[in-house]
Amino acid sequence: MPPVYDRRLLEVLQRIDNASRDAARPVPRLLAVSKRHSATAVADLALAWAGSGLLLPVSLGENYVQEAVAKRAELNGHDGLPDQEWHLIGHLQANKAREAATAFDWVQTVDRARLVDALARHRPAGGQPLNVLLQVNVDAEAGKHGCAPEAIPALAEAVSGKPTLRLRGLMAIPTPHEEIERRRPAFAQLHRLFTDLQARYPGVDTLSMGMSDDLEVAIAEGATMVRVGTALFGART
């Protein structure tokens, strides 16, 4: 296993711990964003993860259904890897819902009722429900995926009424202002939306926000999961 993955993981975990301590916040979960990185790189990170003391399974985020399916198949051929938990963090078209409903443990980008219905229909009954986060377009950016904040209650009700789905919380990608502090208001608004949702649905426990360059601000504003790619895997090619 290349030592670079041990070093990068340790550095990210130290950043997370420092940010949590400085903000007096609980330590959030780490989601390793593995999109466009090879199965070999993911396997190396998984081994570093298992040796770091982090809770298993290894949490991995992918943007594309087909890429994730192919990567999972390749990783199944690696001996000695810890269990993985797969999160879809990219936009999902309804015609891909059948495959996504069985290929992933979490879908973090549910933003419309049609997708709720499709995922619920294709997730096998009798097994573990599919964990769902509602993606919010918190800054109302034109052309950006995610529901409007005012649409959260209706979508949450739709998810909670499906026995094959489990509502876990919210996800967002705020406007990537060059000045990191300018992102703080969006993170704070997301946390308010999250606590409102928790008040109605006690099972809600996940606020997925913050990435490699702004995880400290996201944690300070209440993130319970941060999505880190570049700081773990390096730049994508």
Side-chain angles (χ1 to χ4, degrees):
M1 176 184 62
V4 66
Y5 289 99
D6 285 316
R7 175 179 57 78
R8 287 174 178 166
L9 182 59
L10 181 61
E11 289 172 352
V12 169
L13 293 177
Q14 190 63 61
R15 286 178 62 191
I16 291 172
D17 285 344
N18 289 345
S20 302
R21 184 178 61 253
D22 291 347
R25 294 281 194 183
V27 176
R29 288 183 61 189
L30 172 62
L31 179 69
V33 178
S34 48
K35 65 177 183 180
R36 290 173 53 194
H37 292 289
S38 68
T40 298
V42 175
D44 289 337
L45 179 72
L47 292 172
W49 185 298
S52 71
L54 276 171
L55 292 176
L56 296 174
V58 180
S59 299
L60 299 166
E62 291 283 335
N63 273 46
Y64 305 105
V65 176
Q66 292 301 324
E67 180 182 347
V69 169
K71 203 171 291 183
R72 290 191 71 167
E74 189 172 345
L75 288 172
N76 284 339
H78 285 255
D79 292 330
L81 287 184
D83 290 339
Q84 302 113 45
E85 177 183 81
W86 293 81
H87 296 235
L88 181 64
I89 58 172
H91 177 66
L92 179 61
Q93 296 177 335
N95 63 2
K96 297 285 187 181
R98 177 190 296 273
E99 198 164 15
T102 56
F104 292 93
D105 304 293
W106 291 62
V107 174
Q108 296 202 12
T109 52
V110 172
D111 60 0
R112 57 206 187 279
R114 181 185 176 196
L115 190 55
V116 173
D117 292 339
L119 288 170
R121 184 167 63 253
H122 294 302
R123 183 71 172 185
Q128 290 293 321
L130 179 66
N131 296 293
V132 166
L133 299 184
L134 307 181
Q135 183 177 3
V136 185
N137 185 353
V138 66
D139 292 317
E141 291 183 82
K144 192 169 189 176
H145 299 296
C147 71
E150 56 268 24
I152 291 173
L155 271 179
E157 184 175 359
V159 173
S160 67
K162 305 292 187 183
T164 55
L165 305 180
R166 180 183 175 194
L167 179 64
R168 297 294 296 269
L170 303 178
M171 175 268 209
I173 307 171
T175 304
H177 296 294
E178 186 173 351
E179 184 182 348
I180 300 298
E181 275 298 315
R182 290 186 61 197
R183 306 181 195 183
R184 188 182 294 274
F187 289 140
Q189 182 185 358
L190 282 163
H191 188 257
R192 290 191 293 271
L193 295 169
F194 174 67
T195 55
D196 288 345
L197 191 64
Q198 278 187 312
R200 295 193 296 273
Y201 301 95
V204 165
D205 59 4
T206 303
L207 177 57
S208 173
M209 63 183 191
M211 296 183 284
S212 292
D213 62 343
D214 60 9
L215 64 86
E216 285 84 1
V217 175
I219 291 170
E221 296 301 331
T224 71
M225 178 183 289
V226 291
R227 308 182 303 272
V228 179
T230 303
L232 291 172
F233 290 101
R236 297 179 182 88
T237 56

